[in-house]
Protein backbone atom coordinates (compact mmCIF):
# COMPACT_ATOMS: atom_id res chain seq x y z
CA UNK A 1 0.00 0.00 0.00
CA UNK A 2 1.18 3.51 -0.80
CA UNK A 3 0.22 7.01 0.23
CA UNK A 4 0.38 10.17 -1.85
CA UNK A 5 -0.48 13.62 -0.55
CA UNK A 6 -0.74 17.25 -1.57
CA UNK A 7 -0.49 19.93 1.11
CA UNK A 8 -1.64 23.30 -0.18
CA UNK A 9 -0.89 25.63 2.73
CA UNK A 10 -4.09 24.89 4.66
CA UNK A 11 -5.73 21.99 2.76
CA UNK A 12 -4.53 18.40 2.73
CA UNK A 13 -5.41 15.82 0.06
CA UNK A 14 -4.44 12.21 0.80
CA UNK A 15 -4.66 9.16 -1.49
CA UNK A 16 -4.03 5.62 -0.24
CA UNK A 17 -3.86 2.91 -2.87
CA UNK A 18 -2.69 -0.62 -3.43
CA UNK A 19 -3.13 -3.55 -5.77
CA UNK A 20 -5.54 -2.47 -8.48
CA UNK A 21 -5.57 1.25 -7.64
CA UNK A 22 -8.83 3.13 -8.04
CA UNK A 23 -11.05 5.42 -5.97
CA UNK A 24 -13.51 3.43 -3.89
CA UNK A 25 -14.27 6.01 -1.20
CA UNK A 26 -13.54 9.54 -0.08
CA UNK A 27 -13.91 11.15 3.33
CA UNK A 28 -13.84 14.95 3.51
CA UNK A 29 -13.46 16.87 6.74
CA UNK A 30 -13.76 20.48 7.84
CA UNK A 31 -11.86 20.38 11.09
CA UNK A 32 -12.55 23.90 12.34
CA UNK A 33 -13.42 24.35 15.99
CA UNK A 34 -16.23 24.30 17.09
CA UNK A 35 -17.48 22.99 13.71
CA UNK A 36 -16.16 19.51 12.89
CA UNK A 37 -17.93 18.11 9.88
CA UNK A 38 -17.06 14.87 8.16
CA UNK A 39 -18.74 13.31 5.12
CA UNK A 40 -17.93 10.04 3.37
CA UNK A 41 -18.75 9.00 -0.18
CA UNK A 42 -18.52 5.26 -0.82
CA UNK A 43 -19.04 3.62 -4.18
CA UNK A 44 -21.22 0.50 -4.41
CA UNK A 45 -19.51 -2.77 -3.49
CA UNK A 46 -16.46 -0.93 -2.10
CA UNK A 47 -15.25 -0.98 1.48
CA UNK A 48 -12.44 1.56 1.16
CA UNK A 49 -14.38 3.86 3.48
CA UNK A 50 -13.00 1.89 6.44
CA UNK A 51 -9.56 3.21 5.49
CA UNK A 52 -10.68 6.77 4.64
CA UNK A 53 -12.55 7.16 7.93
CA UNK A 54 -9.66 5.80 10.00
CA UNK A 55 -7.07 7.99 8.28
CA UNK A 56 -9.32 11.05 8.60
CA UNK A 57 -9.67 10.46 12.35
CA UNK A 58 -5.89 10.20 12.71
CA UNK A 59 -5.27 13.35 10.66
CA UNK A 60 -7.90 15.36 12.55
CA UNK A 61 -5.89 14.99 15.75
CA UNK A 62 -3.17 17.36 14.50
CA UNK A 63 -4.22 18.86 11.17
CA UNK A 64 -6.70 21.72 11.59
CA UNK A 65 -7.43 22.58 7.96
CA UNK A 66 -9.76 21.09 5.36
CA UNK A 67 -8.89 17.50 4.58
CA UNK A 68 -9.90 14.95 1.92
CA UNK A 69 -8.83 11.31 2.10
CA UNK A 70 -9.30 9.05 -0.93
CA UNK A 71 -8.68 5.30 -0.97
CA UNK A 72 -8.65 2.64 -3.63
CA UNK A 73 -7.22 -0.67 -2.50
CA UNK A 74 -8.04 -3.92 -4.25
CA UNK A 75 -6.33 -7.28 -4.00
CA UNK A 76 -7.98 -10.40 -5.43
CA UNK A 77 -8.78 -13.16 -2.91
CA UNK A 78 -7.69 -11.09 0.09
CA UNK A 79 -8.16 -12.61 3.55
CA UNK A 80 -9.71 -10.98 6.59
CA UNK A 81 -6.29 -10.93 8.27
CA UNK A 82 -4.79 -9.15 5.26
CA UNK A 83 -7.60 -6.58 5.36
CA UNK A 84 -6.89 -5.93 9.05
CA UNK A 85 -3.22 -5.47 8.16
CA UNK A 86 -4.11 -2.94 5.46
CA UNK A 87 -6.27 -0.95 7.87
CA UNK A 88 -3.48 -0.98 10.50
CA UNK A 89 -0.87 0.02 7.92
CA UNK A 90 -3.05 2.89 6.73
CA UNK A 91 -3.11 4.23 10.30
CA UNK A 92 0.69 3.95 10.51
CA UNK A 93 1.09 5.79 7.19
CA UNK A 94 -1.26 8.53 8.43
CA UNK A 95 0.79 8.99 11.60
CA UNK A 96 3.98 9.27 9.52
CA UNK A 97 2.27 11.80 7.29
CA UNK A 98 1.34 13.89 10.33
CA UNK A 99 5.04 14.21 11.14
CA UNK A 100 5.81 15.32 7.59
CA UNK A 101 2.98 17.85 7.53
CA UNK A 102 4.08 19.22 10.91
CA UNK A 103 7.66 19.57 9.62
CA UNK A 104 6.45 21.53 6.58
CA UNK A 105 4.47 23.91 8.78
CA UNK A 106 7.63 24.72 10.77
CA UNK A 107 9.66 25.61 7.65
Amino acid sequence: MKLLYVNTMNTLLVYLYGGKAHVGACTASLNFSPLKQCKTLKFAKHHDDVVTKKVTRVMQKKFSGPLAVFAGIHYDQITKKQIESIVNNSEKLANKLLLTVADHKRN
Side-chain angles (χ1 to χ4, degrees):
M1 185 170 53
K2 295 184 181 180
L3 182 148
L4 297 174
Y5 74 96
V6 176
N7 186 2
T8 60
M9 301 304 254
N10 69 342
T11 300
L12 186 62
L13 307 174
V14 180
Y15 176 46
L16 291 110
Y17 64 98
K20 296 176 185 173
H22 62 287
V23 174
C26 174
T27 298
S29 168
L30 293 175
N31 201 26
F32 305 116
S33 188
L35 177 67
K36 289 191 177 186
Q37 289 185 336
C38 199
K39 300 283 184 190
T40 298
L41 171 66
K42 172 183 151 179
F43 292 102
K45 299 183 181 180
H46 287 77
H47 302 286
D48 305 278
D49 61 307
V50 174
V51 169
T52 62
K53 290 174 184 176
K54 178 166 287 272
V55 170
T56 298
R57 284 191 297 272
V58 169
M59 300 307 294
Q60 284 178 323
K61 292 177 188 174
K62 302 268 182 179
F63 189 80
S64 60
L67 167 69
V69 179
F70 301 85
I73 304 162
H74 178 87
Y75 295 97
D76 290 332
Q77 301 173 348
I78 191 168
T79 67
K80 186 171 176 113
K81 187 172 181 173
Q82 289 169 318
I83 293 169
E84 290 171 4
S85 177
I86 286 171
V87 173
N88 290 336
N89 286 337
S90 69
E91 185 173 12
K92 290 176 186 175
L93 287 170
N95 281 310
K96 285 183 184 178
L97 177 57
L98 277 177
L99 296 174
T100 302
V101 172
D103 286 345
H104 283 156
K105 280 192 168 186
R106 284 190 221 122
N107 294 334

